[in-house]
Amino acid sequence: MPDDLKKVAYYPGCALEGTGHAYNRSTKAVGKELGLELVELKDWNCCGAMEVKNIDPKIQTYLSARNLSIAEDMGFDKVMAPCNGCYHNLKKAEYDLKNDAGSKEVNARLSGKAGHKTYEPGAVETIHALDWIKQAVGEEELEKRVKNSLKGIKVANYYGCMYTRPRHIFPEKDKGPASESTSKPHFMDDILGAAGAENVDFPLKTACCGGAHSLSDSDTSTKLVLNILEAAEACGADVVATECPTCHTGLEMHQMRAEKVLGRKTNVKILYFTQLLGMALGLSAKTVGVQENMSDSRAFLKEKGLG
Amino acid sequence: MPIHEKSLIRPENLVTHDDLVIDGVDVSGHWSTFIKGRSVTDYNEAMQDEIAALPGGENIHRCWQCGSCTNACTVNAVNNDFNPRYWIYLIRLGMEEELLRDKDIIWQCVSCNKCTYACPRDVMPEGVMKATAHWLELKGHTPKSPSTIFDEEFTRQIIKTGKIEETRVITRFFRGTGQPLRQNWLEALIVNLVKRFPVFYLMRLGLSVVFRPKTRGWNKARHAINEYVHEVEEANRKALGLGGEGAK
């Protein structure tokens, strides 16, 4: 196991303190079970999600840069963000501070006035929960640690938008078979595959759930989500595995909305990949927060001998 | 110049003749090939520069109209009037009136970045869509979209406390857009949750109301960002020739 991944800085973000709390709980539980340590960033702030950039992208860069500078101050060169939005924004800030003079200038000015060190790009690398587990532990080791195999569970792995797009902010991706792919991501497939799950060939891995307008344009979001859920069912999946709180709650909310408003019911379950992995490692459904999800998967999990 | 495609073949531009014979051929009736002649004289020559001056619109001049953006577009698959390539074309030519036909849907871009991923010219069409929606609002062509109301409430809370508290953003958003909070699907979700774990949820809700999430030591950052936001707003209005302290 690479030493620098055993203990990383942890940036949960706002969603993981609210609607995505189950993701927070299961990520921490899985880390603990695998012997990995997470140290939460001290006094972190919101990354700006998908909203602040529409007011001004440079404020968003500053918000993320402040978090990166906290990680650096705490002595870390890696920060792990399980939320796609946070992960994306920290990556984007890193890119903009390296490549855009205007962003650099505004960041220096705001950091100065706010009274903290100006973050310089290159000091801290942002990784996703998928990178963290795949690179710190790996499939071989995971296979050995599985106590309660996910055998017989068909999973559609859903990555969403912000994990792979736009390509230029992820310089480490698309670098050959061992690296992550931006067109056909596979890290979640690899991890859950090692835990025994049967990954279905899912064409909508990086489709959009309309999360940015989940509430402001619900009709569009419902159509997009329904498309994803129905495609997953058509591929034979029992579960859509997620790795982003915005996607996850978007899928859950609009699964219900499609049923109530359009009369189109889908039965596919929606679970965070950390919940599935945690249960495979022998943790209970409660420990990984299945009861906190908006959709109810408890009966299904029981039937499959999990939780 | 690209062909002005289907937009000309609109019902109001079709010509119908009750009785028309050309070179001995009867062409009476409804023919999509007879389109009213027209000439455009009211090009808005400032439009491209104005949109390029807003955040996200900077690279619009790079577009060479390949259509990769529209081809990749998530919203286009749901509503084919949503056509980023076409809008970029209109903006670059300055065909404001034509663009305004679609003014009420441009804000619907979901920022999935498929266009930016596909674009061979680094136009960053996602940014251009945001800049265009912003331009429409600043110019008074459209009211603030639900998305803008959400963005502003979200940003206001981050600037204030450094963090977001979801229930507050959501309730304020519903109030701001005049939507009822009681929608059957939302209720069904909440009832399901509370039924499963009443004590847990009521406690969590109570706690988040009493202890609003906030970042410690945020004061100075708040002032710095507020000052900057003000500066940006001024600059945007100036770029659009709207003068200083206009109505927001």
Side-chain angles (χ1 to χ4, degrees):
Chain A
M1 183 189 302
D3 271 350
D4 60 341
L5 285 169
K6 265 189 198 160
K7 184 175 173 181
V8 294
Y10 181 45
Y11 177 46
C14 305
L16 268 71
E17 289 194 335
T19 43
H21 191 254
Y23 194 21
N24 196 358
R25 186 184 288 252
S26 53
T27 301
K28 284 182 178 167
V30 163
K32 197 170 161 204
E33 188 62 26
L34 292 171
L36 305 172
E37 199 181 334
L38 292 174
V39 184
E40 187 165 327
L41 289 184
K42 207 165 159 281
D43 297 328
W44 54 266
N45 57 272
C46 174
C47 70
M50 308 180 74
E51 283 76 13
V52 174
K53 73 167 179 53
N54 298 336
I55 306 296
D56 187 70
K58 293 189 179 76
I59 307 175
Q60 186 132 330
T61 305
Y62 164 70
L63 290 173
S64 293
R66 182 179 178 276
N67 289 319
L68 290 168
S69 93
I70 294 172
E72 192 187 359
D73 272 353
M74 288 170 69
F76 288 99
D77 61 0
K78 284 201 170 56
V79 58
M80 191 277 275
C83 165
N84 272 4
C86 300
Y87 168 70
H88 177 278
N89 284 342
L90 294 183
K91 284 280 193 198
K92 180 156 193 308
E94 182 75 27
Y95 177 87
D96 283 346
L97 291 175
K98 208 175 274 172
N99 297 288
D100 177 43
S103 301
K104 215 177 154 69
E105 190 263 322
V106 170
N107 179 46
R109 190 144 58 94
L110 293 182
S111 301
K113 283 188 185 159
H116 57 82
K117 207 175 102 188
T118 302
Y119 176 75
E120 293 293 335
V124 179
E125 188 195 354
T126 305
I127 59 172
H128 192 272
L130 289 171
D131 299 316
W132 178 58
I133 293 169
K134 164 124 172 150
Q135 280 154 13
V137 186
E139 291 97 297
E140 248 175 71
E141 180 66 20
L142 276 177
E143 270 169 38
K144 283 186 220 149
R145 291 187 183 238
V146 167
K147 294 184 185 136
N148 209 346
S149 170
L150 302 177
K151 201 162 180 286
I153 298 185
K154 291 185 182 155
V155 177
N157 293 283
Y158 177 60
Y159 298 79
C161 300
M162 319 264 291
Y163 177 68
T164 53
R165 286 191 298 267
R167 193 200 311 260
H168 62 261
I169 65 171
F170 304 110
E172 73 287 0
K173 288 181 180 162
D174 293 331
K175 289 276 181 288
S179 76
E180 184 60 301
S181 156
T182 58
S183 56
K184 287 196 177 72
H186 54 83
F187 277 16
M188 186 157 44
D189 296 64
D190 298 345
I191 290 170
L192 293 179
E198 195 181 313
N199 295 316
V200 302
D201 192 3
F202 184 47
L204 299 186
K205 279 180 171 183
T206 65
C208 177
C209 70
H213 289 167
S214 226
L215 293 167
S216 34
D217 187 9
S218 309
D219 290 341
T220 302
S221 296
T222 302
K223 279 182 204 154
L224 296 174
V225 166
L226 194 58
N227 189 32
I228 292 165
L229 298 176
E230 287 182 342
E233 288 189 346
C235 294
D238 305 314
V239 178
V240 175
T242 59
E243 40 87 302
C244 164
T246 309
C247 299
H248 186 95
T249 43
L251 293 184
E252 287 183 320
M253 268 167 45
H254 291 282
Q255 184 177 41
M256 179 62 92
R257 194 170 183 273
E259 186 189 329
K260 294 279 176 194
V261 179
L262 303 178
R264 284 170 71 179
K265 185 171 164 60
T266 45
N267 291 311
V268 68
K269 304 299 171 208
I270 302 155
L271 289 160
Y272 287 108
F273 87 98
T274 42
Q275 293 181 312
L276 288 165
L277 179 62
M279 288 183 280
L281 295 171
L283 300 173
S284 73
K286 203 167 175 197
T287 310
V288 295
V290 170
Q291 73 282 6
E292 291 184 27
N293 291 351
M294 278 196 264
S295 58
D296 196 348
S297 319
R298 291 171 302 165
F300 163 80
L301 291 171
K302 217 162 239 154
E303 183 197 311
K304 294 285 175 185
L306 292 168
Chain B
M1 188 190 288
I3 296 168
H4 209 313
E5 57 177 53
K6 62 169 188 176
S7 60
L8 283 181
I9 311 173
R10 288 187 176 124
E12 68 271 25
N13 288 336
L14 296 180
V15 180
T16 307
H17 292 283
D18 292 334
D19 186 18
L20 181 67
V21 177
I22 295 176
D23 291 344
V25 181
D26 182 6
V27 287
S28 312
H30 196 67
W31 292 75
S32 65
T33 41
F34 288 118
I35 300 167
K36 264 185 214 153
R38 59 157 204 172
S39 54
V40 180
T41 51
D42 56 348
Y43 290 100
N44 177 349
E45 286 171 25
M47 189 157 58
Q48 175 175 233
D49 290 342
E50 287 179 357
I51 287 174
L54 296 176
E58 299 87 352
N59 284 0
I60 187 171
H61 66 281
R62 298 180 56 91
C63 178
W64 57 23
Q65 290 290 303
C66 71
S68 296
C69 49
T70 295
N71 187 41
C73 180
T74 296
V75 185
N76 178 266
V78 175
N79 172 10
N80 60 20
D81 286 338
F82 193 98
N83 191 341
R85 180 205 60 73
Y86 182 49
W87 294 334
I88 291 172
Y89 167 68
L90 296 177
I91 293 164
R92 298 209 56 206
L93 281 184
M95 297 180 73
E96 184 174 5
E97 203 177 315
E98 186 71 19
L99 182 80
L100 290 182
R101 301 182 74 104
D102 292 330
K103 67 183 164 57
D104 296 323
I105 59 170
I106 295 176
W107 68 273
Q108 288 181 307
C109 162
V110 287
S111 294
C112 70
N113 270 317
K114 285 192 175 178
C115 50
T116 297
Y117 187 94
C119 178
R121 290 282 293 159
D122 276 345
V123 171
M124 313 273 175
E126 184 265 346
V128 175
M129 291 305 105
K130 295 297 160 193
T132 306
H134 199 177
W135 181 86
L136 288 167
E137 292 176 2
L138 284 171
K139 285 280 186 183
H141 291 305
T142 56
K144 277 183 187 171
S145 69
S147 170
T148 302
I149 294 173
F150 194 85
D151 294 341
E152 288 181 350
E153 175 55 28
F154 202 94
T155 306
R156 200 187 61 78
Q157 248 187 65
I158 294 176
I159 295 178
K160 197 169 164 204
T161 64
K163 284 189 186 179
I164 283 301
E165 203 268 295
E166 289 161 324
T167 23
R168 199 142 73 134
V169 177
I170 293 169
T171 44
R172 281 181 183 237
F173 167 73
F174 276 110
R175 213 184 297 149
T177 51
Q179 295 180 66
L181 248 181
R182 297 185 66 129
Q183 308 202 22
N184 68 344
W185 59 278
L186 204 60
E187 272 187 354
L189 277 177
I190 294 167
V191 168
N192 278 353
L193 275 178
V194 176
K195 243 197 313 202
R196 259 186 275 156
F197 295 95
V199 181
F200 174 75
Y201 275 99
L202 293 177
M203 242 175 67
R204 227 175 76 189
L205 191 71
L207 281 177
S208 72
V209 172
V210 180
F211 302 103
R212 296 245 176 246
K214 51 176 174 270
T215 304
R216 276 197 303 150
W218 185 248
N219 269 347
K220 280 178 162 176
R222 175 171 66 229
H223 292 307
I225 301 173
N226 262 331
E227 207 179 288
Y228 176 71
V229 170
H230 196 70
E231 233 174 78
V232 169
E233 279 171 356
E234 290 282 292
N236 288 348
R237 296 185 63 83
K238 205 170 154 206
L240 268 53
L242 292 171
E245 292 281 334
K248 248 190 85 186

